[in-house]
């Protein structure tokens, strides 16, 4: 594994030139988009990138347009030096770290809106969020021009939204999901876990445990209503404020009454001020 510091690019022309050189040399380029505050979940994406490609570009950009007015944009953790050191350890070749003015110059006026997939789950809880995500990811794909881009299944709705946007817009890139990396106690790694107090951190693994119970209880086409009600009660009893808890078709993300095909249990819940999301497969998703 290479330990050299990835080359940092803040200028689009220079980045494009480098990636074009790689592609001309027949090297498969993989993009891993992130908002920084990197952890082992992000590094698993980089590791997967190295497995399937020759060059890995990790982007670091805290995208203001995907945060709501009352969300944590200003306090979102930022530590570029630590991130670059982690990317070096993971063997990334390049870090694309555009300034906000490069992403959104004065007069910027275009947005990508994906309908359908964004109507449920996090969509209504975070108005404008997926539009911000789809727009910035489309820009990142057009800036870097990778062969493949990797996204975590941790943000399952985001993964599906991006797959849809890329298909709809005929973008010449393959979008792949990477399984969620968890702490030993089941808590999905997230940059936001650092907001949790010790008491909240102690309660947090219950989220994944409840999802796993629901997945087990709804396997084989069993009705989902009972396990969902029990799961919601268990989470509220553990101190969570549940925003949504649902079993959905893994492709359309529409709620199902029975998981007869590939399905996913998805949740968003607050522990104190911290919003956590997670999901698990009921059956192997596509
Ligand atoms: P973020 O920096 O939170 O925007 O995440 C960047 C990418 O890392 C997204 O594709 C996330 O889905 C992915 N990711 C975040 N946490 C995890 C995790 N625990 N396991 C796998 N992928 C993750």
């Amino acid at each position: 594994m290479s330990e050299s510091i990835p080359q940092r690019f803040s200028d689009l022309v220079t980045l494009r030139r480098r990636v074009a050189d790689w592609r001309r040399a027949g090297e498969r380029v993989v993009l891993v988009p992130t908002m920084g505050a990197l952890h082992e979940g992000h590094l698993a994406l980089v590791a997967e990138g190295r497995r399937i490609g020759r060059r890995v570009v990790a982007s670091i950009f805290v995208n203001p347009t995907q945060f709501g007015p009352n969300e944590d944009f200003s306090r979102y953790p930022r530590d570029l030096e630590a991130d670059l050191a982690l990317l070096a350890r993971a063997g990334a070749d390049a870090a694309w770290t555009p300034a906000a003015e490069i992403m959104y110059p004065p007069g910027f006026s275009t947005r990508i809106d994906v309908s359908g997939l964004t109507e449920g789950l996090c969509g209504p809880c975070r108005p404008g969020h997926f539009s911000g995500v789809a727009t910035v990811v489309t820009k990142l794909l057009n800036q870097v021009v990778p062969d493949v881009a990797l996204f975590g299944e941790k943000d399952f709705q985001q993964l599906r939204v991006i797959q849809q946007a890329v298909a709809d817009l005929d973008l010449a890139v393959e979008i792949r999901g990477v399984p969620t990396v968890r702490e030993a106690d089941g808590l999905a790694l997230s940059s936001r876990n650092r907001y949790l107090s010790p008491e909240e951190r102690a309660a947090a693994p219950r989220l994944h445990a409840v999802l796993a119970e629901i997945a087990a209880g709804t396997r084989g086409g069993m009705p989902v209503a009972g396990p969902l009600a029990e799961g919601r009660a268990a989470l509220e009893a553990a101190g969570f404020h549940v925003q949504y808890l649902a079993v959905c078709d893994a492709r359309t993300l529409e709620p199902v009454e029975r998981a007869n095909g590939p399905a996913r249990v998805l949740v968003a819940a607050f522990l104190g001020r911290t919003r956590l999301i997670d999901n698990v497969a009921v059956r192997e998703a596509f």
Side-chain angles (χ1 to χ4, degrees):
M1 184 174 286
S2 145
E3 283 286 334
S4 60
I5 296 288
Q7 190 174 356
R8 184 182 161 198
F9 295 86
S10 312
D11 171 65
L12 185 52
V13 175
T14 321
L15 172 80
R16 280 198 161 130
R17 222 176 265 146
R18 173 54 51 88
V19 174
D21 285 347
W22 287 338
R23 291 181 63 130
R24 210 172 299 119
E27 296 179 341
R28 190 168 156 87
V29 179
V30 181
L31 172 65
V32 175
T34 83
M35 297 203 301
L38 300 183
H39 51 61
E40 292 297 328
H42 300 111
L43 301 188
L45 269 62
V46 175
E48 177 65 6
R50 283 176 57 87
R51 209 180 59 75
I52 64 172
R54 173 68 185 84
R55 300 288 180 182
V56 177
V57 180
S59 63
I60 299 178
F61 180 65
V62 186
N63 176 37
T65 67
Q66 70 188 70
F67 289 78
N70 299 316
E71 294 184 354
D72 55 348
F73 175 68
S74 56
R75 70 179 182 126
Y76 196 84
R78 293 163 170 88
D79 188 346
L80 185 59
E81 289 313 311
D83 288 345
L84 292 175
L86 287 171
L87 288 177
R89 211 187 79 199
D93 297 279
W96 167 227
T97 58
E101 309 80 70
I102 287 187
M103 292 307 257
Y104 303 114
F108 185 90
S109 343
T110 302
R111 281 164 38 133
I112 309 277
D113 276 310
V114 177
S115 58
L117 286 170
T118 62
E119 272 152 34
L121 305 173
C122 288
C125 308
R126 305 188 68 187
H129 170 69
F130 286 117
S131 172
V133 169
T135 305
V136 81
V137 170
T138 303
K139 283 179 66 72
L140 289 167
L141 294 172
N142 284 330
Q143 289 166 342
V144 178
V145 198
D147 298 286
V148 184
L150 298 178
F151 295 84
E153 287 184 356
K154 153 88 173 22
D155 301 279
F156 195 78
Q157 190 175 14
Q158 167 174 283
L159 169 63
R160 288 291 302 116
V161 166
I162 291 162
Q163 285 173 328
Q164 188 69 47
V166 163
D168 289 350
L169 298 173
D170 304 309
L171 299 186
V173 60
E174 184 190 340
I175 304 297
R176 288 203 202 173
V178 175
T180 303
V181 178
R182 301 179 179 282
E183 302 280 6
D185 60 14
L187 177 64
L189 298 192
S190 164
S191 308
R192 292 187 167 104
N193 290 350
R194 66 188 73 186
Y195 299 155
L196 298 169
S197 70
E199 296 73 28
E200 290 164 350
R201 176 64 188 81
R206 198 75 192 104
L207 199 60
H208 175 246
V210 165
L211 293 185
E213 284 161 19
I214 295 170
T218 56
R219 227 156 249 150
M222 298 296 284
V224 303
L228 279 180
E230 281 170 32
R232 181 178 278 265
L235 288 175
E236 300 280 356
F240 288 87
H241 169 67
V242 178
Q243 235 177 4
Y244 65 75
L245 175 63
V247 181
C248 294
D249 181 292
R251 203 179 55 82
T252 64
L253 299 186
E254 278 167 19
V256 295
E257 287 176 11
R258 292 169 184 267
N260 286 318
R264 214 84 199 177
V265 195
L266 303 105
V267 70
F270 279 93
L271 261 184
R273 286 177 64 200
T274 305
R275 184 174 182 274
L276 300 177
I277 59 170
D278 202 351
N279 69 87
V280 300
V282 177
R283 288 188 181 184
E284 252 338 283
F286 50 113

